[in-house]
Amino acid sequence: MSDEKPPVEICKGVNDLDKVVLRGLRGSSAEVYLYGCHVTSWKNNHDEELLFLSSKAIFKPPKAIRGGIPICFPQFGSHGNLEQHGFVRNRFWSIDSSPPPPTVSCNKAFVDLIFKPSEEDLKIWPYSYEFRLRITIGPGGDLMLTSRIKNTDGRPFSFTFAYRTYFSISDISEVRIEGLETLDYLDNLKSRERFTEQCDAITFESEVDRIYLETPTKIAILDHEKKQTFVLRKDGLPDAVVWNPWEKKAKSMMDFGDDEYKHMLCVEAAAIEKAITLKPGEEWKARMYLSVVPSCYRSGQLAPLRVLQG
């Protein structure tokens, strides 16, 4: 008998919470918890973890899971009347019984999840909608998240959104981001004051919490020590959040290790500055596509230009 595991498997995870395991053709994988529709793991073909998940993450509702890819909706951050980053990240989602037609080939493993607000949710945010999310892992190990949000209410509503992706890195001092140079950003550490990025690449020496505006569809995150580059591609998401809590804030978070800030970096595909507005019956679609490639060298430095321009 073959011991080959299925490309899509529903099983139990931490604290007996339901999760879906997606398996690529060459050994890559992803894990998605139905609680929060939360991707908690993405591994390459060599079984190396690419996402950061805190060792102190709390897998117990109503606490959101620290790390992976939380979904921020209908509010990003604390800029509004709702709880931090909205509430779909700490609600239970369902397997979608009537998903959109597949647009992926048979070589890709995917799962469709759906969230519809409960009566209690409507008391918090009084609009009806359907939030569908397809998570796909390709044959080469690439990870894709596709969101569809449809207004099923009789009134228009507006929202902000982010895929809050925690990347696993060797050391924060060894990492830089390219693709955001010369852009304007809102600094959350300075009451969202607007600045223009002056550096050729973003590096890290202290806490960073910024919303970059009108960003390109492709961003590169270079890890010098691992000699690899994460490539983040996005559609329908004009903004990009960059966050690392650094030492002081890390120590203040109960679900985050004191030194874990050294090994994680959030780079988030988002729509924040200009809220998305949906009229009754309208649907909004956005996608994030993650891949990882070996870094090349030029004059002793990592050079992702061919990645960004390719």
Side-chain angles (χ1 to χ4, degrees):
M1 291 180 63
S2 172
D3 60 355
E4 184 175 335
K5 294 181 179 179
V8 181
E9 181 182 9
I10 301 174
C11 54
K12 296 293 183 180
V14 179
N15 288 340
D16 217 31
L17 293 172
D18 289 327
K19 70 177 180 179
V20 179
V21 179
L22 303 176
R23 298 185 178 93
L25 290 178
R26 303 187 186 99
S28 59
S29 66
E31 294 187 2
V32 189
Y33 276 75
L34 269 59
Y35 177 61
C37 190
H38 197 130
V39 178
T40 57
S41 175
W42 169 39
K43 294 182 178 180
N44 63 16
N45 297 339
H46 305 292
D47 203 39
E48 296 166 336
E49 183 59 64
L50 302 172
L51 296 178
F52 167 84
L53 185 70
S54 174
S55 62
K56 294 189 175 182
I58 299 170
F59 286 76
K60 186 176 182 180
K63 180 69 176 176
I65 300 168
R66 174 69 68 184
I69 311 179
I71 307 298
C72 302
F73 172 87
Q75 173 184 297
F76 176 82
S78 57
H79 307 289
N81 299 321
L82 303 177
E83 62 184 275
Q84 174 92 353
H85 295 315
F87 51 80
V88 300
R89 67 187 185 137
N90 54 16
R91 298 291 191 273
F92 284 96
W93 292 52
S94 305
I95 302 291
D96 193 352
S97 59
S98 55
T103 56
V104 297
S105 72
C106 59
N107 291 329
K108 298 182 179 182
F110 65 94
V111 64
D112 289 284
L113 299 183
I114 186 169
F115 177 79
K116 298 179 183 179
S118 66
E119 291 298 322
E120 290 301 311
D121 294 327
L122 291 172
K123 294 177 183 177
I124 299 170
W125 198 60
Y127 301 102
S128 297
Y129 57 91
E130 294 176 351
F131 189 158
R132 286 181 161 87
L133 204 157
R134 173 173 292 168
I135 301 104
T136 305
I137 192 155
D142 300 342
L143 182 67
M144 185 167 68
L145 280 69
T146 305
S147 290
R148 298 172 184 263
I149 298 171
K150 184 174 183 179
N151 183 346
T152 58
D153 205 273
R155 302 162 295 160
F157 60 72
S158 299
F159 62 89
T160 50
F161 178 94
Y163 291 120
R164 192 168 175 81
T165 307
Y166 288 70
F167 291 98
S168 176
I169 57 174
S170 60
D171 190 283
I172 190 64
S173 64
E174 297 285 342
V175 170
R176 70 193 220 204
I177 301 172
E178 299 204 3
L180 302 177
E181 51 276 2
T182 75
L183 298 181
D184 285 0
Y185 65 87
L186 306 177
D187 194 331
N188 285 322
L189 301 179
K190 298 181 180 179
S191 302
R192 299 187 94 184
E193 188 177 347
R194 193 178 185 119
F195 297 90
T196 300
E197 182 58 63
Q198 303 294 330
C199 299
D200 292 335
I202 300 168
T203 56
F204 301 88
E205 298 176 345
S206 60
E207 182 182 358
V208 172
D209 190 354
R210 300 172 181 172
I211 304 168
Y212 286 83
L213 310 174
E214 299 181 32
T215 59
T217 58
K218 196 181 294 185
I219 300 167
I221 301 131
L222 295 82
D223 192 323
H224 184 81
E225 186 172 313
K226 288 187 176 181
K227 298 182 176 61
Q228 71 178 21
T229 298
F230 288 107
V231 183
L232 186 158
R233 298 177 177 89
K234 55 191 178 66
D235 296 312
L237 297 164
D239 304 325
V241 180
V242 176
W243 178 68
N244 183 286
W246 218 253
E247 187 174 8
K248 184 177 179 180
K249 184 167 286 184
K251 290 181 177 179
S252 72
M253 296 188 288
M254 64 177 291
D255 59 346
F256 194 90
D258 290 355
D259 293 323
E260 287 186 330
Y261 73 92
K262 297 177 182 177
H263 306 296
M264 58 73 62
L265 177 62
C266 277
V267 181
E268 312 166 33
I272 301 170
E273 185 195 26
K274 298 174 183 176
I276 305 297
T277 298
L278 288 181
K279 297 176 182 177
E282 282 189 335
E283 183 179 76
W284 174 79
K285 181 180 178 181
R287 182 175 66 175
M288 178 177 70
Y289 183 93
L290 302 177
S291 57
V292 61
V293 297
S295 297
C296 54
Y297 285 84
R298 185 178 301 160
S299 300
Q301 291 187 328
L302 293 167
L305 286 177
R306 70 181 188 185
V307 171
L308 289 172
Q309 297 170 356

